Amino acid sequence: VRIIIRENTGDYYEFYNLGMDEPMAISSVHGLGTGDLLDKLFEYVQTFEEWIDNLEKSKDEKNLPSSYSPHTLYLAMNDEEKLVGAIGLRWKKVPTLMTFGGLVGYSIRPSQRGKGYASEMLKLALEKFKSTDIDNVLITCKDFNIASKKVIEKNGGVFEDVYINAEDGFKYLRYWIKI
């Protein structure tokens, strides 16, 4: 499987519009929360331009509340330049993220699942942490998300425990990956 991950390109427009044809679970990808539908995005952002502006502002800690982490959204493109998924990296260990959110959130287009893209996307994303002072990364997934569990474990995830979120009722598997 060969993919690349990149940020801030014209590909964002395709990603933004995926909700019409092929919804992905993306709200946790780019730091908007832990919901499961593209619709969650539109509760916060009305237009593509506002969304891009929000992504840019979210990279800088000074633009965010102290309980938020700066984050960057990367899009995953296959060797045919087709958008296959997205991965969000959070650059600061804030309490909420260290409880159940983690420093990485990702999603693969439904039509592209089962092709190894998520594993490769996470591998490439973890490389980006090597240029930071973060030496281990918490990554979580819901207990019923077997595919994500396998992706995390394939990338060196070491299971720590299960967190039960009182707000949404879900059980989150918590893994650490050494950078």
Side-chain angles (χ1 to χ4, degrees):
V1 174
R2 186 179 162 278
I3 63 168
I4 60 168
I5 59 174
R6 61 186 182 211
E7 66 168 312
N8 204 12
T9 70
D11 306 317
Y12 277 166
Y13 193 73
E14 180 184 356
F15 178 69
Y16 178 84
N17 284 310
L18 274 178
M20 305 303 175
D21 302 319
E22 197 173 0
M24 295 191 327
I26 65 155
S27 61
S28 62
V29 169
H30 52 77
L32 291 179
T34 57
D36 289 323
L37 298 173
L38 184 64
D39 293 343
K40 183 89 169 164
L41 170 65
F42 297 104
E43 291 177 20
Y44 298 93
V45 180
Q46 301 302 312
T47 68
F48 176 72
E49 292 75 20
E50 289 173 324
W51 184 61
I52 290 293
D53 185 54
N54 184 49
L55 285 176
E56 287 301 312
K57 287 179 180 173
S58 295
K59 291 179 187 179
D60 191 334
E61 190 170 0
K62 72 179 181 197
N63 297 322
L64 300 168
S66 61
S67 61
Y68 282 59
S69 170
H71 51 271
T72 306
L73 175 68
Y74 296 92
L75 301 182
M77 312 299 286
N78 66 12
D79 39 355
E80 298 169 358
E81 288 293 304
K82 181 176 178 133
L83 175 62
V84 298
I87 190 161
L89 302 184
R90 301 167 191 122
W91 306 110
K92 182 180 175 186
K93 294 180 175 182
V94 296
T96 299
L97 296 178
M98 293 299 89
T99 303
F100 75 95
L103 296 179
V104 179
Y106 58 87
S107 188
I108 298 293
R109 292 175 82 159
S111 66
Q112 301 302 310
R113 292 179 183 162
K115 299 178 181 181
Y117 291 135
S119 293
E120 185 65 17
M121 188 170 64
L122 180 56
K123 177 182 168 188
L124 294 171
L126 291 169
E127 288 291 316
K128 300 211 176 274
F129 284 103
K130 288 184 176 179
S131 63
T132 73
D133 62 350
I134 296 173
D135 59 0
N136 58 19
V137 172
L138 176 68
I139 185 167
T140 68
C141 66
K142 292 176 182 162
D143 64 339
F144 57 82
N145 190 341
I146 303 306
S148 192
K149 179 180 181 290
K150 289 179 180 179
V151 166
I152 295 166
E153 290 173 351
K154 182 176 181 176
N155 277 278
V158 176
F159 178 75
E160 181 177 63
D161 61 14
V162 175
Y163 173 78
I164 301 172
N165 185 342
E167 288 184 34
D168 65 15
F170 289 113
K171 294 177 184 175
Y172 290 84
L173 306 178
R174 300 175 74 245
Y175 290 87
W176 288 94
I177 299 177
K178 187 88 174 138
I179 299 299

